[in-house]
Structure formats: C-alpha cells, structure tokens
Amino acid sequence: MQKIIAANWKMYKTRPEARETAADLYRLLIAEPLSDRRVIVFPSFTNIPDVQEAFAGESTVTVGAQNFYPAAEGPFTGEISLDMLLDLGISQVLTGHSERRHLLGETDDFVASKTALALAGGFSVMLCIGETLAEREAGNLAEVLSSQLRTALPELQGDALSRLTVAYEPIWAIGTGKVAGPAEVLAAHAEVRSLVARIVGDAGRGIPILYGGSVKPGNASMLLGLDNVDGLLVGGASLDVQSFLQIIKA
Ligand code: PEP
C-alpha cells in the first residue's frame, strides 16, 4: 500500500518562499520517483496557485487546503468556501487540526459539519483527531478519540469513505519536539482503526490512518514501520525541503 506523506505548512512561507520550496521538492521528486509514496502539500490559501503550478504534471503530489468555512456562501467575512477551493482546482482539505480546535475555537460539532460538507461535495478529507496531555494522563484517550470520531463520522458510506483519511495527532506532540513512542502510537492507531470500523462498518478498515506530531527525518522510518500507520502528517519538518524529502523517502 502507498504511504501518504502530508505537509502542513500552516501560516508559514511568503509566495516566493512557497514557490521556491515547491519547485525544489518537485525537482528532487522527479529525479528519484517513489512509487510507494503519495505526497500531499497543504500551503496557505494565498500560496495555493504557485504551489500547484510548481507541481503541475506530477501526479504523485496533491495540493490541498488547510481550511474552509462550512457554508455554500454568505456573510462570513474572511472565510473561504468549498466552491472557491474548487475554482482553484482543489479537491483535498484538512479538517479538525488541533490548532483550529484549540487556538481557533472549532468544536467537535463544527469539525463534523465541515467534514460532512466537504465529503458530500466530493472532496477528499483528512480529518485530524487527538488528545491533550491532560486527557491522556487522566486515562481518557479512548473516550476522546471515540467522541471526536463519532461526532465527525456519522453514517458515512461507500464513495465518501474512500475519500477519507484520519490523522491521529496527539496534541502534546505537535510542534513540541515530543514524539509519541512506538507503544503509544501502536495503541492509539489500533484504537482508531477499531473505532472507525465500529462507527462506519467494515468498509472503514481500508481508511488510511496517518500519525502526526513532531515527525522528523530521524523518527519517520520507525513510525512508518508500525502497524496501522499508513502515513505521516508533518508540520515543522515539512517546511525544509531536505528534511521533508528524507521523511518522504524514510
Ligand atoms: C501538524 O501541524 O499537523 C504537526 C504534526 O506539526 P509538527 O510536525 O510540527 O508537530
């Protein structure tokens, strides 16, 4: 199975910087094509056209959007709709990222409405879930994952399921340099796998589950070797071409 390696560029990079990073990555990927990897890059909205242009013709790379507002249109100043993303040729979006949940106030219900609208609109969705350190230490990991998944994935079927990816990102490991250990990742991914199958049925067994949280060139290969880890969602280490390329090749 192809592993998915996704880059979340968050609110980093000006247009020239994004263009240069994407062009360098394109050159390096063309030089050494990897048939067992699929790359997804989530740049900021303003950098999407430049990054798309840099990867034009490279079918192993998809450019996605980090965010959108769950309404067709309306008085939502500063927001961007799914139709506006479609205009740009975007069909992959991210939902539920912990920074949007915890810094920008998105609730489980709001994440669910975004996920449902995007899937209904034919988009591919990477749904992020994960627990805080306090939730983990209180022994609530399974409950938190279950509640986030049950709210976001009610009654999904067939085609929508084939466009869903789940990213397990323990919040205490995002941008902190603390990576979850192999035992923690194994246990959480097994839990996510069985929860998804319980919520959406057996068809859910094929849904890719990515790990995210301080992934670096030095731990990527270990993480990719674990059961139920179908890929990686990378923040900080995806901003630098060489480190992201090492993770892609890990
Ligand atoms: C992320 O933003 O999804 C992430 C995992 O960030 P980092 O790799 O920097 O921890």
Side-chain angles (χ1 to χ4, degrees):
M1 189 177 167
Q2 267 189 331
K3 300 275 189 189
I4 300 168
I5 312 293
N8 175 13
W9 285 358
K10 311 190 188 201
M11 200 177 74
Y12 291 104
K13 295 190 186 292
T14 59
R15 278 182 71 195
E17 287 165 351
R19 215 179 293 140
E20 189 184 340
T21 308
D24 286 350
L25 187 59
Y26 174 80
R27 209 170 12 82
L28 294 163
L29 286 173
I30 288 288
E32 259 186 273
L34 296 161
S35 57
D36 58 348
R37 295 285 186 269
R38 200 158 78 72
V39 176
I40 304 176
V41 180
F42 293 100
S44 63
F45 288 130
T46 53
N47 292 333
I48 284 175
D50 293 272
V51 175
Q52 283 172 317
E53 199 182 316
F55 289 119
E58 178 49 24
S59 60
T60 61
V61 181
T62 302
V63 180
Q66 295 174 20
N67 190 35
F68 60 95
Y69 191 80
E73 61 181 3
F76 304 108
T77 302
E79 296 295 334
I80 289 195
S81 73
L82 287 168
D83 275 353
M84 293 167 184
L85 293 177
L86 271 184
D87 271 352
L88 290 180
I90 291 290
S91 59
Q92 168 78 60
V93 290
L94 200 60
T95 61
H97 193 278
S98 65
E99 286 153 11
R100 297 215 59 88
R101 289 180 192 264
H102 293 271
L103 299 176
L104 298 155
E106 293 194 6
T107 61
D108 284 2
D109 285 334
F110 192 74
V111 171
S113 68
K114 291 174 75 173
T115 305
L117 194 71
L119 287 171
F123 282 75
S124 295
V125 175
M126 186 177 293
L127 165 71
C128 303
I129 56 169
E131 81 288 3
T132 63
L133 189 58
E135 288 164 340
R136 173 173 277 270
E137 286 178 348
N140 294 337
L141 172 65
E143 196 185 312
V144 170
L145 298 181
S146 169
S147 149
Q148 290 177 346
L149 283 169
R150 279 183 200 285
T151 316
L153 305 179
E155 294 164 32
L156 284 184
Q157 288 173 356
D159 180 44
L161 283 178
S162 71
R163 288 182 277 105
L164 178 72
T165 302
V166 173
Y168 167 65
E169 301 203 298
I171 293 160
W172 47 273
I174 297 181
T176 59
K178 283 186 206 154
V179 67
E184 291 164 319
V185 177
L186 269 174
H189 278 239
E191 184 67 32
V192 173
R193 174 74 71 214
S194 95
L195 280 167
V196 170
R198 258 181 277 156
I199 296 165
V200 301
D202 268 355
R205 296 203 179 277
I207 291 175
I209 305 173
L210 275 50
Y211 170 80
S214 295
V215 175
K216 301 278 180 277
N219 57 28
S221 156
M222 175 279 284
L223 290 161
L224 286 170
L226 298 173
D227 274 358
N228 291 313
V229 176
D230 303 312
L232 302 169
L233 176 53
V234 190
S238 72
L239 297 170
D240 174 77
V241 178
Q242 286 304 334
S243 85
F244 189 52
L245 189 71
Q246 284 179 56
I247 292 170
I248 295 172
K249 288 180 169 176

